């Protein structure tokens, strides 16, 4: 009989047990163990907190919220760019058992009002203004349409200072009594996923979900109280608040805020000034940092690790990050908001291939499998299918939307990611695309990631995204959207065709080309492929040559 292939299933084991704490109790452990070590540094303002000072500041905000009527289960919105107050609100709401609602700082009035209404936010804590966003004016206007919203507090205004001062009237034992009533399985956070169709969904996460995920992500890169973690990624996203903040405090490490929003120069300045040992980012952030004209002038020798997530990292970029940025132990992480977020991660001693060709292997206490998207049956290793994950990290559900929850979390509590993956024989996973991104050309399944990785090696290509566009003959045809290395000398379709010929199957060769100056992005740094498809679908037939377009 032929040898039966191993199924695409793996479960994570480890010697370290899951944490049974609430976030507040876990912070108390860090404060007791490391009272005099730095917990939080805000480079723009120069403010610093030791763990003991950070704990007192968190308690002040928690008591202030309580004095303003916030109780267990109440929703408190946070709509702000990265700042220390964001972090204080995160831990203060957790202490009270309130549910913090993360609101994307790029949201405008329509999106803000939807999130406030859908989650039932009672108090909103917001920035005042940043760049073109007037948060004060938008919050005032949204309030008229949100009857449950009873108070708005703007960071930096006197009302923020009053909030903390008002808590002084409460007894010091108030928080201890409140925390004694909390379970780690209760909701503590709602994060809105940027859906490609319809309104975003509020992934509801518990203390157990996000505390453990931050703890094991940090443990996988070897965090101790000696580490200093530079976070240019947004706090409103799991990357910042879970993998970053909770990943640091659960190990007694220090959170370093380089700037309110991503700035490559400010990021490297913070790493140098604060002697950071770890740096986070999506690949485009690292590309921007490496591309600074004065990159070589920064002393980055304190770095040893970091986390890269959000999208695949080109091989040449990874080589420079590991070499020129001294991040020999940099880790690739894969996940989604609904799984708190990380399911798989590369290990500290993995080779270059694992860091660029895979998203690592399953984390401790989690399960992953790859299934046939149609039948749900687990496929053999080496076969593409939908990646599913199960365990402590799977969200409680979408807030107040059980039907939408049932669409992605099945009866066995498996979260269906919508990502197409291949599990190797060694258990490492490669993401080959989204089910919705997969291009079906003349009956052939085409995975954009494979073509993108190949086109990255073209000497005239700086960045590339491949999408499918409608085609009368083949159903879909392949469009390459390219950012050239030299805008004055972009590649032509003929050059792309010649580069691909004899090295890619004929049906994988792009038939259309768009030259762009940039890609539409989410705030968390992911390319919005759906926008590229929509933008160029109608004109695909007219872009078979090297046509320039503003990005």
């Amino acid at each position: 009989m032929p040898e039966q292939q191993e199924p695409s299933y793996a479960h994570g084991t480890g010697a370290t047990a899951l944490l049974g704490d609430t976030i507040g109790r876990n912070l108390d452990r860090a404060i007791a163990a490391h009272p005099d070590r730095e917990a939080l540094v805000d480079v723009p303002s120069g403010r610093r907190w030791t763990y003991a000072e950070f704990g007192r500041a968190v308690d002040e905000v928690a008591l202030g919220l309580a004095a303003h009527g916030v109780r267990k289960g109440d929703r408190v919105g946070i709509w702000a760019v990265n700042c220390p107050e964001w972090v204080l609100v995160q831990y203060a709401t957790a202490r009270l058992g309130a549910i913090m609602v993360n609101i994307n700082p790029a949201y405008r009035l329509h999106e803000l009002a939807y999130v406030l209404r859908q989650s039932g936010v009672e108090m909103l804590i917001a920035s005042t203004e940043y760049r073109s966003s007037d948060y004060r004016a938008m919050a005032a206007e949204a309030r008229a349409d949100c009857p449950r919203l009873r108070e708005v507090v703007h960071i930096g205004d006197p009302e923020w200072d009053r909030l903390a001062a008002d808590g002084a009237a409460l007894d010091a034992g108030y928080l201890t009594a409140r925390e004694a009533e909390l379970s780690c399985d209760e909701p503590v956070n709602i994060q809105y996923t940027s859906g490609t169709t319809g309104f975003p969904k509020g992934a509801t996460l518990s203390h157990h979900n996000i505390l453990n995920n931050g703890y094991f992500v940090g443990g996988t890169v070897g965090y101790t109280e000696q580490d200093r973690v530079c976070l240019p990624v947004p706090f409103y996203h799991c990357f910042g608040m879970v993998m970053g903040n909770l990943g640091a405090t659960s190990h007694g490490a220090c959170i370093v805020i380089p700037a309110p929003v991503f700035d490559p120069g400010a990021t490297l300045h913070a790493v140098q000034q604060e002697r950071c040992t770890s740096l986070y980012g999506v690949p485009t952030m690292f590309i921007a940092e490496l591309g600074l004209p004065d990159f070589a002038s920064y002393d980055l020798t304190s770095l040893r690790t970091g986390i890269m997530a959000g999208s695949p990292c080109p091989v040449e970029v990874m080589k420079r990050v590991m070499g020129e940025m001294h991040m020999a132990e940099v880790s690739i992480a894969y996940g989604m908001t609904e799984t708190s977020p990380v399911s798989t991660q590369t290990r500290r001693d993995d080779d270059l291939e694992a860091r660029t060709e895979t998203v690592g292997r399953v984390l401790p206490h989690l399960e992953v499998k790859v299934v046939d998207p149609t039948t749900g049956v687990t496929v053999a290793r080496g076969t593409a299918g939908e990646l599913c994950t199960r365990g402590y990290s799977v969200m409680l559900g979408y807030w107040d939307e059980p039907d939408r929850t049932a669409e992605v979390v099945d009866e066995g509590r498996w979260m269906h990611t919508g990502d197409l993956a291949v599990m190797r024989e060694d258990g490492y996973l490669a993401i080959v695309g989204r089910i919705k991104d997969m291009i079906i050309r003349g009956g052939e399944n085409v995975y954009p990631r494979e073509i993108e990785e190949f086109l990255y090696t073209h000497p005239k290509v700086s960045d590339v995204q491949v999408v499918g566009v409608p085609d009368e003959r083949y159903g879909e045809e392949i469009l390459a959207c390219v950012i050239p290395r030299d805008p004055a000398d972009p590649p032509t379709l003929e050059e792309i065709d010649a580069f691909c010929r004899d090295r890619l199957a004929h049906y994988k060769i792009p038939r259309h080309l768009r030259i762009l100056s940039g890609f539409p992005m989410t705030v968390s740094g992911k390319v919005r492929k759906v926008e590229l498809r929509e933008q160029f679908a109608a004109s695909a037939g007219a872009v078979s040559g090297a046509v320039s377009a503003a990005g």
Side-chain angles (χ1 to χ4, degrees), residues 231-413:
L231 297 177
V233 294
F235 288 154
Y236 85 87
H237 190 269
C238 271
F239 202 169
M241 69 158 283
V242 178
M243 299 156 69
N245 296 344
L246 289 170
T249 60
S250 61
H251 292 278
C254 179
I255 299 163
V256 176
I257 304 173
V261 298
F262 174 64
D263 178 292
T267 299
L268 297 189
H269 167 72
V271 169
Q272 176 178 275
Q273 174 183 297
E274 298 299 324
R275 305 305 294 158
C276 294
T277 59
S278 176
L279 173 61
Y280 285 17
V282 296
T284 53
M285 291 179 174
F286 286 99
I287 290 168
E289 290 153 8
L290 290 162
L292 289 170
D294 61 347
F295 170 77
S297 70
Y298 292 97
D299 179 2
L300 308 178
T301 54
S302 60
L303 288 173
R304 68 166 181 88
T305 190
I307 296 177
M308 200 182 297
S311 59
C313 181
V315 174
E316 294 307 312
V317 174
M318 180 60 75
K319 286 180 180 176
R320 292 191 66 193
V321 167
M322 294 175 70
E324 297 171 43
M325 297 183 79
H326 307 281
M327 295 169 61
E329 298 178 10
V330 65
S331 180
I332 298 295
Y334 162 83
M336 59 195 305
T337 304
E338 291 89 338
T339 55
S340 303
V342 178
S343 298
T344 69
Q345 193 174 346
T346 58
R347 293 342 193 232
R348 297 164 70 182
D349 56 353
D350 279 340
D351 59 19
L352 182 67
E353 180 194 19
R355 288 184 169 102
T356 55
E357 299 296 327
T358 83
V359 290
R361 52 193 169 91
V362 66
L363 284 179
H365 307 293
L366 295 176
E367 300 172 271
V368 291
K369 66 177 179 178
V370 180
V371 304
D372 183 300
T374 304
T375 66
V377 174
T378 304
V379 300
R381 295 197 180 193
T383 304
E386 183 181 17
L387 178 58
C388 300
T389 185
R390 180 168 69 177
Y392 74 82
S393 68
V394 175
M395 66 175 179
L396 300 177
Y398 293 126
W399 182 263
D400 203 25
E401 295 192 279
D403 290 345
R404 295 180 87 178
T405 303
E407 291 172 3
V408 295
V409 181
D410 66 25
E411 292 180 350
R413 288 294 296 168

Side-chain angles (χ1 to χ4, degrees), residues 5 35 136 138 145 152 163 188 269 275 321 341 354 379 383 410 438 465 505 513 533:
Q5 287 181 285
R136 190 183 279 107
M138 283 188 282
D145 295 326
V152 178
L163 178 74
V188 73
H269 167 72
R275 305 305 294 158
V321 167
V379 300
T383 304
D410 66 25
M438 186 176 73
Q465 294 292 322
L513 175 67
R533 282 196 299 270

